[in-house]
């Protein structure tokens, strides 16, 4: 009976050692899986649209200039934008300025377009908002 337990213990130890090295080998596979996942995410994420790229060059303005241009704007004000036409300022939604179309313009082609129960609107940061003016 003691021999049976000794053989059983020996088999158990060998299987534990094999399992240890298999788990160790899998840890290097995790880094490969992570790289593949990151490549998949970067391929599936949309790149910046041309409108957003154009704003990047216009965003080289100081915070003081942004403050001076935005300090007189209140909710409900009508704003004329050369690119989007007449817009109504509706305050801040989700941390960005919400600008709704007044004359029914189609904003869906804009890279800044968002949608809520009131319809489509342009959601922009402070600097993007100043560039729209």
């Amino acid at each position: 009976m003691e021999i049976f337990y000794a053989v059983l213990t020996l088999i158990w130890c060998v299987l534990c050692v094999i399992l240890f090295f298999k788990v160790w080998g899998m840890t290097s596979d995790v880094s490969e899986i992570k790289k593949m996942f990151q490549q998949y995410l970067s391929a599936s994420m949309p790149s910046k649209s041309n409108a957003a790229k154009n704003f990047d060059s216009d965003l080289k303005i100081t915070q003081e200039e942004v403050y001076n241009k935005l300090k007189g704007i209140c909710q409900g004000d009508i704003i004329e934008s050369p690119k989007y036409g007449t817009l109504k300022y509706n305050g801040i939604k989700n941390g960005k300025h919400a600008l709704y179309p007044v004359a029914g313009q189609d904003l869906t082609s804009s890279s800044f377009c968002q949608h809520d129960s009131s319809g489509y609107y342009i959601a922009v940061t402070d600097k993007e908002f100043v560039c729209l003016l």
Side-chain angles (χ1 to χ4, degrees):
M1 191 67 162
E2 292 175 5
I3 296 176
F4 174 72
Y5 287 127
V7 170
L8 191 60
T9 304
L10 183 65
I11 292 172
W12 177 258
C13 291
V14 168
L15 289 175
C16 284
V17 169
I18 291 171
L19 180 63
F20 170 77
F21 284 107
K22 285 208 169 266
V23 170
W24 190 4
M26 287 186 336
T27 57
S28 64
D29 290 344
V30 170
S31 62
E32 292 174 19
I33 292 170
K34 182 180 173 185
K35 286 179 188 175
M36 287 190 305
F37 186 67
Q38 286 174 339
Q39 289 173 350
Y40 170 76
L41 284 180
S42 65
S44 65
M45 296 293 278
S47 63
K48 273 188 166 181
S49 68
N50 288 337
K53 287 177 187 173
N54 291 341
F55 269 116
D56 286 346
S57 61
D58 293 340
L59 294 180
K60 294 181 173 74
I61 55 178
T62 65
Q63 189 63 33
E64 185 178 335
E65 291 173 313
V66 170
Y67 174 74
N68 288 336
K69 287 190 176 185
L70 295 181
K71 68 180 176 182
I73 296 176
C74 299
Q75 187 170 355
D77 285 354
I78 303 297
I79 296 165
E80 289 294 328
S81 168
K83 184 168 186 168
Y84 298 108
T86 306
L87 301 168
K88 180 180 177 185
Y89 180 68
N90 201 25
I92 305 236
K93 278 191 173 187
N94 300 325
K96 293 190 174 187
H97 297 279
L99 301 162
Y100 285 85
V102 173
Q105 304 96 315
D106 181 25
L107 301 176
T108 56
S109 62
S110 169
S111 61
F112 304 108
C113 185
Q114 300 285 323
H115 183 70
D116 67 359
S117 59
S118 302
Y120 288 99
Y121 67 96
I122 296 176
V124 291
T125 63
D126 288 345
K127 289 187 177 184
E128 293 165 345
F129 187 33
V130 169
C131 291
L132 282 177
L133 299 176

